[in-house]
Amino acid sequence: MPNSSPSPSPMAINVVAPAPSMFKKRSSQSAAPMASAASYLSALSQADARARNTRAPTATPALSLSSSVTSSSEDTVLHDSDFDNSDGLSLPARPPTSEQVFTTVHTEFGHCANEEYRLVSQHTAGEPLPAHVEQDPPYYILLSTYISYLILIVIGHIRDFLGKRFSPKFYTHLVPRNGYAPLNSDFDSFYTRRLKTRMDECFSQPVTGVAGRTILLLDRISPDYNHTQILTGTRTRALNISSYNYLGFAQARGGCADAVEESIRRYGVSTCGNRLEGGSSDLHTVTEALVAEFVGMEDALISSMGFATNSAYIPALVGKGCLVISDELNHASIRFGTRLSGANVRMFKHNDMRSLENLLREVISQGQPKTHRPWKKILLIVEGLYSMEGTLVNLPVILELKKKYKFYLFVDEAHSIGALGPHGRGVADYFGVNPRSIDILMGTFTKSFGAAGGYIAGNKALIDRLRIRGHLGPYAEAMTPPVLTQVLASMASIMGIATPSPADSTALVPASHPAPASPSSLPPWLTLPPLLSSGTEGRSRLRRLAFNSRYLHHGLAKLGFITYGHPASPIVPLLLFNPGKMNMFHRMMKDRQTPIIVVVVAYPATPLVTSRVRFCVSAAHTKEDVDCVLRACDEVGDVLDLKHGIPKRERWDIERIVSSAVELATS
């Protein structure tokens, strides 16, 4: 496979899209072509800041039909002096324009004024959830994929055999030396050495700054086939379609960032003021109460790490004599926690409700192994949104089975909380069911909320038990005040903050889930800008995410690609299959005139022959950003022979897809 290099690949496609660029300005003033995009976007950010400091118009301005807009102030005219030659990203010379003054930085959260590019994330009542269908490519694709792995394995073992004899200095970590055992097992490290190392250009890409709408890459090269990586000192600004920044709260500036700065002034960075017993503080108590209010549960507890939330609290829920029924594609943290618990484990086919019901009948009738005594407890663990497949749990059917077979239900909402539902409250909100019909809700703050850590929510008796029996209570570090404040601010921005009733200044708007956050549930010093505190911007972000997700999903399908997942999912996997195409897809997307950074996923995170690129859509993306991704995929897909989803006669050309975005998203 090709070495990592910042220079364009010979196969890279540098074609400027024929559609009108989002980086243009209607002005009679001329601007010379810019030297680079990092400087361009930096100057654009400065123009945004100047525009935000200007007085707002007295009347509501007309909104441009363009989906990518910024202030119309003449401050936004950029000249040669505004740029430096730091990354080589070539984009058109003029910034976007609109009569509206936006409060976000365009590089972090894209300006979008067109209300047509909005949708509500909600399941249609009465309609069955589409089943997960794994579409197979033509046989020659599968055959070439298997042959590629066979060639890789055979040549890899030959190189190991000859290398140990003729170049032993490169294999010292695999053989005993000086009476010590080898550092690595030859067989266990084979995949890492012979495949992953050759693809390390796709993984662990160093970045700096905010992973928002765009991201700043630190360029690197490798002179020794990725065994070492050398930073070149240059940087590349790229469109970011690879971060779990679902609602775009990964921002260095804005209402949430201001709240975090205030918390640092009050509490510090790593210590908590007013510390209480167990390593918590008043800020922890407030956050847990707001999380419970947000998800519609009686109580909640928070932890400093999402992975540990599952692995440390599942053993406190079940033990010996209990049964855990797990979806076959559940996350590694669930599998790890289940192993630690000592409970018996049975798995059912992914999202297959018939397989689940057959398993339930079997385990209930047979009881525990050998003794056949009834199970002490049966706990079904599923995910709300599966991060590798982009599929949604069939929650309505599972709740019907729960009433019939009387098991406990644990739903991991790491990826669905904040990203799904008309109010952003997760899969229960998306399907319109009462969240308290679910026994345990788990989620993380690392995706939609731009923070870190996780939570468990349920009834008060359960949460009180977990505080005592869970390993994280006595052993783990507490979440820091800045992280807690980010959770509070972003969650309150999604919920909106209730206002006093006109009839009684002390009475709040009646709370019925999902409801706005009551002012008493937030720290008195935490203030948010009007657009955030009213929930207006939070609702807009939810609707933008829903549109972008459906548009990209349907657009890729119409182009002819094989994709997985539900159209409402912000995770859109595109199947690559052949291992040689993973590195090339990543390189060709990054080497375009407008670089696009993507995530390539391979074994062992996926089955061996279903390697994929996983697009992560954000509310921070504009419609033009999704257009850019679709155009790039269209061109790269033709070169790498990736279009095997639908017959050629049924495919749409890219211009038809771009012009029919609203039709596709609402279909």
Side-chain angles (χ1 to χ4, degrees), residues 5-298:
S5 174
S7 60
S9 168
M11 298 185 67
I13 302 175
N14 298 324
V15 180
V16 179
S21 172
M22 54 187 269
F23 293 96
K24 288 187 177 180
K25 172 176 170 57
R26 297 188 300 271
S27 172
S28 60
Q29 301 187 32
S30 61
M34 65 181 182
S36 68
S39 52
Y40 166 83
L41 295 172
S42 175
L44 177 59
S45 300
Q46 296 173 12
D48 288 338
R50 289 194 295 270
R52 291 195 298 273
N53 292 331
T54 60
R55 175 177 293 183
T58 57
T60 302
L63 297 182
S64 169
L65 293 180
S66 171
S67 114
S68 181
V69 289
T70 187
S71 170
S72 63
S73 167
E74 293 302 317
D75 281 346
T76 59
V77 177
L78 304 181
H79 304 282
D80 289 341
S81 60
D82 294 320
F83 304 116
D84 57 39
N85 192 16
S86 60
D87 61 22
L89 175 63
S90 177
L91 292 173
R94 298 176 183 273
T97 180
S98 171
E99 292 78 8
Q100 179 171 344
V101 176
F102 287 87
T103 58
T104 56
V105 179
H106 196 50
T107 57
E108 298 177 356
F109 190 91
H111 304 333
C112 181
N114 194 334
E115 289 296 321
E116 288 187 341
Y117 305 143
R118 309 284 194 274
L119 279 179
V120 176
S121 174
Q122 190 169 16
H123 181 72
T124 304
E127 286 192 4
L129 187 72
H132 173 63
V133 179
E134 293 187 356
Q135 187 176 0
D136 292 327
Y139 285 117
Y140 80 89
I141 294 293
L142 288 176
L143 184 61
S144 64
T145 300
Y146 282 113
I147 291 176
S148 297
Y149 280 109
L150 179 62
I151 293 173
L152 174 77
I153 293 171
V154 171
I155 295 181
H157 281 299
I158 292 175
R159 291 191 64 183
D160 283 353
F161 178 82
L162 297 176
K164 290 177 182 178
R165 287 154 179 79
F166 297 103
S167 301
K169 64 179 180 179
F170 295 110
Y171 294 86
T172 55
H173 62 295
L174 298 178
V175 296
R177 186 175 57 162
N178 298 329
Y180 292 97
L183 293 176
N184 301 102
S185 165
D186 191 347
F187 181 80
D188 291 343
S189 65
F190 180 84
Y191 177 85
T192 303
R193 291 183 291 107
R194 291 304 175 197
L195 178 62
K196 182 183 177 298
T197 301
R198 295 302 183 102
M199 297 175 54
D200 268 348
E201 177 187 353
C202 303
F203 310 118
S204 305
Q205 175 73 54
V207 300
T208 184
V210 174
R213 170 181 169 260
T214 64
I215 193 168
L216 196 58
L217 309 176
L218 303 180
D219 297 327
R220 60 184 182 176
I221 60 174
S222 177
D224 52 5
Y225 299 97
N226 293 328
H227 289 286
T228 59
Q229 300 280 353
I230 301 174
L231 296 177
T232 63
T234 60
R235 302 179 180 186
T236 299
R237 175 73 65 175
L239 179 64
N240 181 19
I241 193 76
S242 60
S243 296
Y244 294 141
N245 181 31
Y246 296 143
L247 292 183
F249 281 114
Q251 295 176 243
R253 282 172 280 183
C256 294
D258 293 341
V260 171
E261 289 182 10
E262 178 62 24
S263 75
I264 294 175
R265 283 190 287 269
R266 290 174 174 269
Y267 292 93
V269 177
S270 59
T271 59
C272 292
N274 301 325
R275 295 187 66 84
L276 303 176
E277 188 176 339
S280 63
S281 72
D282 56 340
L283 209 53
H284 288 83
T285 305
V286 170
T287 305
E288 289 179 340
L290 186 66
V291 169
E293 188 179 340
F294 182 81
V295 300
M297 287 297 199
E298 190 177 357

Side-chain angles (χ1 to χ4, degrees), residues 51 153 182 184 268 273 279 361 405 415 428 435 469 487 523 568 592 614 649:
I153 293 171
N184 301 102
R361 289 179 176 179
Y405 294 101
H415 289 268
R469 294 179 59 89
V487 173
R592 292 180 62 82
R614 187 177 56 172
R649 63 182 179 276

